[in-house]
Amino acid sequence: MQAATTIGSGNKPALTGFTPWLVCLAVFALLPLTLGPYWLNSAIMGLFYVMMASSWNLLAGYTGQVSFAHAAFAGIGCYTSGILSAKLGLHPLLGLPLGVAMAALLSLALGALCIRMGGIYLSLTTLGFSEIVRIVIQNEYEITRGTMGLKVPFIIGPYSKITAFYLMLAVAVAMVGLIAWLVNSDMGLKFRAVLNDETAARSLGVNVTRARVFAFVISGAMAGLAGSIYGHYLLLITPHIPSLDLMFHVLAMAVIGGLGTLAGPVVGALLLEVLSEFVRHFSDKYHILVFGCVALLFARFAPQGLVGLVGDWWKKAGAKGGE
């Protein structure tokens, strides 16, 4: 757990330029013109995981707090919006902000209670919270339909994978942009100060608890938004969304991509989603185990992740070329 907490140490969130991002975005935006329904669904899933991994990285990569409640907040946002739509007839576009608000409210309550503990105690507390949320959802059949799943309407207009793709893409880009702005703001400086040396940060006047709770709430709200959109895309919400299975999937993506970097969770999410589709062809049971093992190897031997490895290689290649 300590290794996971310090993976992001020393990484700077500075942007290297907008051109590579714009090129990648333009290429990705053209995918619906070339992909069939199966791989278009994988692209949509990849965008969902981009939102989840990026928002979790805001907490773990920039403040060093390892929480296992992220998938639970996605489930809270998802079920709040879904229940309001399915049971009360509220339009999904009105249910989405309420789902985000519920996720933010519960993350504030949880963060205020346990964020001071930090370390393994925070991880265990959020792990227990996540399981409580899943058990409640699974057993409140009259409200959530339990393991049978809750049918919900599509987020806007008639069902369309292309509509869902561009909606997911727009929200994912906005979320990554917000994270980029945040970590380069004064609050981002406080995040990094807390991550690198909590005692020194406190001695310089940084309210460590407030900075951590702020990151916890923003991260939870983003997860609630991602879960809400994801549920209305699937049309059927199940307890799989707030499960530890999904949580460990997100954790592996962020770690393998590179914690404490802006591009790391994006690269990790998209790469592992494509990889998971190939792994499922061989066995649908062991893909999470495979990702977990790969994440552990990266945490041990390449804590900077794929983005860090590519950055190091690029610097060495540039140094050799300048000789």
Side-chain angles (χ1 to χ4, degrees):
M1 193 63 66
Q2 180 65 27
T5 304
T6 59
I7 288 173
S9 299
N11 289 327
K12 296 182 179 180
L15 299 175
T16 57
F18 289 104
T19 302
W21 290 93
L22 292 177
V23 171
C24 293
L25 178 60
V27 172
F28 204 77
L30 296 175
L31 288 181
L33 303 178
T34 59
L35 296 180
Y38 180 85
W39 285 107
L40 182 57
N41 176 73
S42 296
I44 294 170
M45 294 291 294
L47 289 170
F48 165 69
Y49 283 119
V50 165
M51 291 187 277
M52 290 293 291
S54 295
S55 56
W56 187 77
N57 176 58
L58 177 65
L59 180 66
Y62 292 111
T63 68
Q65 303 303 295
V66 179
S67 167
F68 292 108
H70 211 60
F73 292 135
I76 289 167
C78 181
Y79 271 95
T80 299
S81 178
I83 290 171
L84 291 173
S85 299
K87 303 286 186 179
L88 302 180
L90 193 66
H91 194 284
L93 289 179
L94 298 177
L96 279 178
L98 295 176
V100 174
M102 181 60 73
L105 182 62
L106 290 178
S107 62
L108 175 61
L110 181 63
L113 287 173
C114 67
I115 205 72
R116 290 181 177 86
M117 294 185 292
I120 192 171
Y121 301 104
L122 172 65
S123 299
L124 290 175
T125 303
T126 54
L127 181 66
F129 173 81
S130 182
E131 275 298 280
I132 289 171
V133 169
R134 185 190 63 80
I135 291 171
V136 169
I137 289 174
Q138 188 169 305
N139 288 281
E140 287 295 333
Y141 179 83
E142 295 296 327
I143 300 175
T144 65
R145 298 279 298 172
T147 56
M148 297 291 293
L150 179 68
K151 292 182 179 180
V152 298
F154 189 58
I155 189 166
I156 183 171
Y159 185 81
S160 168
K161 288 184 182 293
I162 294 178
T163 300
F165 174 85
Y166 284 114
L167 177 62
M168 284 275 201
L169 180 62
V171 176
V173 169
M175 189 177 293
V176 173
L178 176 60
I179 292 172
W181 172 80
L182 186 60
V183 299
N184 285 281
S185 67
D186 291 340
M187 182 57 71
L189 291 175
K190 294 179 181 178
F191 288 166
R192 296 195 295 282
V194 170
L195 172 66
N196 292 322
D197 194 328
E198 178 182 329
T199 303
R202 186 176 285 109
S203 69
L204 293 174
V206 176
N207 190 321
V208 173
T209 301
R210 184 178 298 174
R212 285 176 171 173
V213 171
F214 180 79
F216 198 83
V217 172
I218 295 298
S219 176
M222 288 179 173
L225 176 59
S228 298
I229 299 175
Y230 180 58
H232 285 288
Y233 163 67
L234 294 178
L235 304 181
L236 184 70
I237 306 173
T238 67
H240 169 72
I241 295 176
S243 68
L244 290 177
D245 186 0
L246 190 146
M247 180 66 248
F248 291 137
H249 205 157
V250 170
L251 187 151
M253 289 173 169
V255 171
I256 292 172
L259 276 180
T261 65
L262 190 65
V266 177
V267 173
L270 296 177
L271 181 64
L272 264 68
E273 174 57 27
V274 173
L275 179 61
S276 69
E277 295 300 329
F278 288 103
V279 172
R280 284 192 180 97
H281 286 297
F282 299 97
S283 175
D284 191 40
K285 298 180 180 179
Y286 301 111
H287 68 282
I288 294 297
L289 177 62
V290 171
F291 291 163
C293 292
V294 174
L296 287 175
L297 290 174
F298 267 87
R300 175 62 180 86
F301 298 106
Q304 71 273 36
L306 287 172
V307 170
L309 287 176
V310 172
D312 290 343
W313 174 82
W314 187 267
K315 289 178 182 178
K316 291 179 180 178
K320 290 181 180 179
E323 292 178 354

